[in-house]
Amino acid sequence: MTHPAVLARLVEEYEMESELRAAGPHGPVRQQMEDVVYTLCVSTGTRDIDAALAAARERLRTAWLGDADAAEAAAQDGRTLSGTAG
């Protein structure tokens, strides 16, 4: 499974490339967009960009919720996420 930080960067890159492409079709922007789309699809195990974005956003949502849940549980136990008393 692709790390959430990588997925977040890919989604951000896709959104930036989409904005650039909307401003006007440019060769390098088109290739960068294709590269990001391909990487997002491979990273999420999907075949189209809509499914890839949905999968990436869901993974990010659950990853961040998982981190929040872990931090909350640790705080209730009087420890930090690294397992030491804080």
Side-chain angles (χ1 to χ4, degrees), residues 1 6 29 34 62-63:
M1 181 62 67
V6 173
V29 172
E34 289 176 8
T62 58

Side-chain angles (χ1 to χ4, degrees), residues 7-8 16 20-21 27-28 30 34 38 43 60 69 76 83-84:
L7 287 176
M16 288 188 324
L20 289 172
R21 192 168 186 197
R30 182 173 179 233
E34 289 176 8
Y38 174 81
S43 297
L60 292 170
D69 291 343
Q76 289 174 355
T84 59

Side-chain angles (χ1 to χ4, degrees), residues 25-81:
H26 304 310
V29 172
R30 182 173 179 233
Q31 183 60 52
Q32 289 171 344
M33 176 70 105
E34 289 176 8
D35 292 346
V36 170
V37 167
Y38 174 81
T39 305
L40 267 169
C41 288
V42 169
S43 297
T44 57
T46 58
R47 292 184 175 239
D48 66 74
I49 189 58
D50 292 329
L53 288 170
R57 288 179 176 135
E58 178 63 15
R59 170 76 173 114
L60 292 170
R61 186 184 69 75
T62 58
W64 288 326
L65 288 176
D67 290 345
D69 291 343
E72 183 178 331
Q76 289 174 355
D77 290 344
R79 54 191 167 83
T80 64
L81 286 178

